[in-house]
Structures are given as C-alpha cells and as structure tokens.
Amino acid sequence: MRVSLLSFRAAVSATLLLSLSLTATLTTTVSADAFTTEPVLHLSRTITRAVLSEEQAEGQGARVRRSIGRPELRNHDPFLMLDEFLVGKNGGFPDHPHRGFETVTYMLEGQFRHEDFAGHSGVIGPGDVQWMTAGRGIVHSEMPVFPGGEGGEGGEKALTKAHGLQLWINLPKEHKMCDPQYQELLDSQIPRSEPQSGVTIKVIAGESHGVQSKVYTRTPTLFLDITMEPHKVVEQNLPLSYTGFIYMLSGKTYLGEKEEPFVGEAHHTLTLSSSDGVKEAVRIETKEEGARFVFIAGQPLNEPIVQHGPFVMNTHEEIYETFFDFRNAVNGFERANQWRSSAN
Ligand code: FJE
Ligand code: FE
C-alpha cells in the first residue's frame, strides 16, 4: 500500500508540503487508499550518483571491487569502506591489525576462516555474518577455506573462489578504545522480512518492515540484503538523519522518484540524497529483471577522521600513539607480541 503512495507525491502541492512543515511523516487523506488505512505518504530520497567498482588487487592475491573508500566515494560518514571480495585458494588477508572501527564480513559464497591474537577463531559460510568491533585493538588473519582440498573433493563443481562483502563502520570517539567484541550470526539466525511475495529482505542490522536484527550497533546502522523478483516495488524507510547507499550485486533496479528513476546495475554504488528533513524512504523497483543488492545506511558521526590503513582515529596524535602501541605491544595490542596466525 505504502509503495503506491509515493506516486501521490505530485498530487500534494508545494504549499501543502510547506504548511505541513518538517515532519517526517505526512498524514493525508488525498490518497485513493484512504478508505482502507490512514495513509502515510513517504517522499523518496533520490540518487545522487552511480559509481562502478572495477576489480583491483588487495591483500595477498585477493581481488576486490571497492565501493565506499574508492577515490570517488571517500568518507561516506559513518562508513569507511565496502569491498566486494573474491579470493582464490592462495589468497587472503594474513595477519594485520585494526583499531578504532568495526569490520562486518558478510559471506555470499564459500567460506572464510578468521583467527585472532586473543585465541578467537572460526569459520563463516554462505549467508553468515561476522560483526567485529575492533575497538582498541585486534590483530587477525582472514583467509578462505576450500573444503575438499587439493583433490577438489567438495562435490561436482568445487568452488574456486570465496566471495563476500566487508564493510568498515567508523566508531564514535567514545567507543574507539572499547574492548574488542564479536557478534557472529549464522545465516539461519538472521531474520527476514517479506513485505510482499517476491521481495525478501534479510535484516543484518537495524529494522525493515517490522523485522528487527539483534545485532548491537554502537554506530546506528541499517544493513539489509534485498532480493527482488522482476516487476516488484518496495519502499525502504530510513531515519531522516542517516546517510545511505545501495551496492548492486546483480540484476537491475530503478531507484528514487518514480517519474525520474536512476538505474542501478551490478557492481555499482548508488548514493542516496539527504532526507532534506522529509524524505524518510527510498523507492526501489524492478522491471523485466530481478535484482539483488545491499542497502546500507547509518548515522553520520560528524567527527574528524584520521586514517592510516587499518587504524582510524580522530587526530594525528592518536594515530602516532597507535603506531607506538602496535609496535610496542601495549594498550590493547599486548597479545600481538610474538603472535602469528596459522596462515603465516
Ligand atoms: C587490507 C588493511 C586491511 N578489504 N575485504 C590493509 F585491513 C586489509 C583487509 C581487507 C579485507 C579483508 C577482507 Cl576478509 C575482505 C577486505 C581489505 O584486511 F587488504 C589492507 N591492504
Ligand atoms: Fe581485518
């Protein structure tokens, strides 16, 4: 019901909008749906740009399509990076440190094994999520595993690449030096909403169509994996204060205002306009082709960012301190002393 109401946007005059002031939800009786429910009119944010991510080398023999974090998409506050990774048998991300932010690894195909300097380790497989708060310090390795080994016993067509997404979310000043924490969710533990048949929304963080994730976010974040069959329309709400973007995995979407949609295609990042105080949703449509994409939005921190690779702090001085702490294995990096993962 809500979806169709976007088309009534045009019916509401500018003066009416102004008189309704800057409220997030405009209640009106203009709609033809007025008999069924008191309609809620959502204005769709628009798309400000579409940027293609081509493959580049990263880590050890790994390939990534970098979305947020590439030169055209720097500092999409609170997001620092989004990589779609593809890693073969001899590749991976061997021992490296993090401080000051969170990494969220979402597997699409294949498996990844992580191992950290505090003895925490595990394997995540298709659909699983590892939400890691590095806080004051983590040193770890992240490497693909290919069951079946050399002989390729893993069935008829053993996977040769592990495929997934890794999102880096900045932490607010007061959480940058917090204790490290892991939140690990199996695919089966991640709730889905189905706002209509043919539209499935996996709620990794935040809330969608009444379904809520259990992930604790220090930086308020909405992270959804949306699959749409052809000829569907969905409206996704997001708080007015959030910045957001869509990263297309496959298929084709038509985004934003119905009259002037932006086309979203695989491996493109589509950045959302600001809410302008009233646009609390995004309209997403498929036509002849279905689509799969992630919808990511969050509360901007509006704090200074000083980043040196995997260390993200607020000042240069804090970055120097971080180098010192890492080199001397102090202040959260104690266990980095002599530690090596089995990947090395
Ligand atoms: C890296 C620092 C890093 N993209 N996608 C420097 F932390 C990394 C790194 C990753 C990474 C890991 C996974 Cl599992 C997926 C990623 C960067 O670990 F590559 C560099 N150069
Ligand atoms: Fe890492």
Side-chain angles (χ1 to χ4, degrees):
M1 280 301 114
R2 285 183 171 190
V3 166
S4 66
L5 292 171
L6 278 167
S7 58
F8 287 94
R9 180 192 51 81
V12 183
S13 72
T15 43
L16 175 56
L17 277 176
L18 283 171
S19 68
L20 286 165
S21 81
L22 297 180
T23 46
T25 302
L26 305 179
T27 305
T28 176
T29 50
V30 176
S31 162
D33 295 317
F35 293 108
T36 50
T37 51
E38 185 70 8
V40 178
L41 182 77
H42 290 132
L43 301 181
S44 180
R45 292 202 196 185
T46 54
I47 303 303
T48 48
R49 62 194 312 195
V51 178
L52 172 66
S53 296
E54 287 184 32
E55 279 188 18
Q56 61 189 72
E58 188 49 286
Q60 176 187 284
R63 308 286 293 171
V64 303
R65 290 181 187 271
R66 180 150 300 159
S67 157
I68 302 305
R70 63 184 302 105
E72 310 94 304
L73 297 169
R74 269 269 139 81
N75 293 341
H76 203 79
D77 189 11
F79 305 108
L80 301 159
M81 190 196 84
L82 175 68
D83 276 358
E84 178 184 358
F85 58 87
L86 265 179
V87 190
K89 199 157 55 100
N90 299 313
F93 302 91
D95 306 11
H96 61 278
H98 293 278
R99 174 182 277 182
F101 63 100
E102 302 187 298
T103 68
V104 181
T105 310
Y106 180 41
M107 289 309 296
L108 298 170
E109 300 169 282
Q111 298 184 314
F112 245 71
R113 177 179 163 80
H114 61 94
E115 213 177 297
D116 85 4
F117 70 160
H120 182 92
S121 68
V123 174
I124 54 171
D128 300 345
V129 169
Q130 184 202 58
W131 195 290
M132 184 186 89
T133 306
R136 78 169 82 87
I138 286 274
V139 184
H140 70 169
S141 66
E142 298 160 282
M143 307 295 283
V145 283
F146 296 101
E150 312 294 308
E153 296 163 50
E156 301 266 302
K157 41 173 188 166
L159 268 183
T160 58
K161 296 256 198 280
H163 179 205
L165 297 171
Q166 188 169 93
L167 176 69
W168 290 10
I169 309 173
N170 203 2
L171 280 169
K173 209 183 338 221
E174 64 271 23
H175 288 299
K176 281 194 178 287
M177 295 296 281
C178 71
D179 290 338
Q181 186 201 2
Y182 290 96
Q183 299 179 76
E184 275 150 335
L185 299 172
L186 296 175
D187 180 50
S188 62
Q189 298 169 318
I190 303 173
R192 272 84 167 163
S193 73
E194 198 180 335
Q196 58 170 295
S197 82
V199 178
T200 305
I201 305 182
K202 219 174 131 179
V203 187
I204 295 165
E207 197 230 282
S208 179
H209 298 268
V211 173
Q212 184 106 37
S213 157
K214 283 193 268 300
V215 168
Y216 167 57
T217 57
R218 289 161 176 83
T219 301
T221 301
L222 177 62
F223 187 158
L224 309 172
D225 171 7
I226 305 185
T227 305
M228 296 174 70
E229 286 177 5
H231 302 293
K232 299 287 170 188
V233 187
V234 72
E235 188 185 337
Q236 177 58 50
N237 278 33
L238 73 166
L240 292 171
S241 60
Y242 280 22
T243 57
F245 65 93
I246 281 161
Y247 180 74
M248 291 291 301
L249 293 168
S250 61
K252 206 164 176 179
T253 49
Y254 297 80
L255 303 154
E257 301 283 356
K258 185 177 164 62
E259 297 79 8
E260 295 174 69
F262 227 90
V263 182
E265 291 180 287
H267 313 302
H268 283 74
T269 302
L270 298 117
T271 55
L272 306 184
S273 71
S274 77
S275 67
D276 293 327
V278 289
K279 298 167 184 165
E280 60 171 344
V282 181
R283 182 184 191 277
I284 305 161
E285 182 172 1
T286 51
K287 294 185 180 171
E288 299 72 26
E289 247 183 277
R292 185 174 183 196
F293 53 92
V294 288
F295 185 111
I296 296 172
Q299 175 67 46
L301 303 176
N302 294 311
E303 289 174 6
I305 298 168
V306 182
Q307 174 166 7
H308 189 96
F311 302 136
V312 184
M313 301 301 286
N314 300 116
T315 67
H316 289 283
E317 178 154 21
E318 288 167 347
I319 289 291
Y320 297 138
E321 284 164 8
T322 303
F323 291 153
F324 181 93
D325 292 348
F326 182 53
R327 182 169 313 134
N328 297 292
V330 295
N331 281 325
F333 286 116
E334 285 79 1
R335 312 179 87 138
N337 221 352
Q338 309 294 326
W339 178 80
R340 278 176 153 245
S341 75
S342 62
N344 276 285

